[in-house]
Amino acid sequence: DTELGLPAHDGEGRAITAEFPLFYLTNVYVPNSGQKLDRLGYRTEQWDADLLKKMQQLEKDGNKPVIWLGDLNVAHNEKDTWNEGAKHLAKSAGTTVEERASFERQLSAGYTDAFRHLHPEGRGHYSYWSQRAGNREPNKGLRLDYFICSNELMEDLDGKKACV
């Protein structure tokens, strides 16, 4: 399926869902809030909430867990930025209080950031670097890409993590 099933979002082509025997897998490209944060409200109040509802509906209807992954356009916490505490972060897309809180609401609804679960203190594992500023080489970046799993997928199965 290449849509969320919601006209407000489907025109942008931001999601692809595949059903597998044991889970659903959705690749998403979450809308960026914009340089001037002009899409912040849309992103946090509509898109994020509707994506969560879609994942919950897939779990319920299919009676199996979900994984969503891709560019979620949020650096969840201080471990996901190279310069946490910089004054501009609160006003920058991907690091606003609203985006971080919205992402936290998704996780609190029964989902786990698989990387953070496996590497709780991991730092410097970024997926975005400003090319204009030449930040790739010194690893000054943000972690914006994630694998988010239903909590049940993170349980130990014969000593192995099921979601990784």
Side-chain angles (χ1 to χ4, degrees):
D1 188 6
T2 60
E3 299 180 339
L4 290 179
L6 300 165
H9 310 304
D10 289 342
E12 295 189 26
R14 294 185 172 273
I16 297 174
T17 299
E19 182 177 3
F20 293 91
L22 300 176
F23 59 88
Y24 288 97
L25 181 72
T26 300
N27 185 335
V28 297
Y29 178 33
V30 172
N32 186 294
S33 293
Q35 193 169 8
K36 296 180 181 179
L37 301 179
D38 52 332
R39 294 190 86 192
L40 180 62
Y42 164 71
R43 185 266 167 81
T44 58
E45 297 166 21
Q46 295 175 43
W47 169 268
D48 286 354
D50 288 342
L51 174 63
L52 177 59
K53 288 177 194 169
K54 175 70 173 185
M55 295 301 102
Q56 292 172 321
Q57 194 65 49
L58 283 173
E59 277 186 304
K60 181 182 173 193
D61 292 349
N63 197 30
K64 54 185 161 185
V66 299
I67 301 168
W68 77 88
L69 62 112
D71 182 348
L72 304 189
N73 265 317
V74 62
H76 183 218
N77 62 41
E78 74 283 351
K79 295 174 190 163
D80 301 321
T81 65
W82 75 275
N83 60 345
E84 188 63 30
K87 291 180 182 180
H88 73 279
L89 288 181
K91 299 176 279 185
S92 297
T95 55
T96 65
V97 171
E98 294 89 346
E99 289 163 312
R100 288 174 165 183
S102 182
F103 187 62
E104 185 60 39
R105 282 190 294 276
Q106 290 175 330
L107 295 176
S108 296
Y111 301 95
T112 300
D113 170 356
F115 175 84
R116 189 57 64 208
H117 179 81
L118 295 170
H119 306 282
E121 298 305 317
R123 293 180 179 268
H125 304 282
Y126 307 127
S127 58
Y128 168 81
W129 304 264
S130 171
Q131 297 303 313
R132 284 180 284 197
N135 286 348
R136 176 75 163 109
E137 185 62 35
N139 198 30
K140 295 178 178 179
L142 303 170
R143 185 169 77 101
L144 302 178
D145 295 78
Y146 296 81
F147 274 79
I148 306 300
C149 303
S150 297
N151 285 344
E152 69 182 87
L153 288 173
M154 298 308 296
E155 297 170 0
D156 272 339
L157 298 177
D158 300 323
K160 297 180 182 176
K161 299 292 183 189
C163 185
V164 291

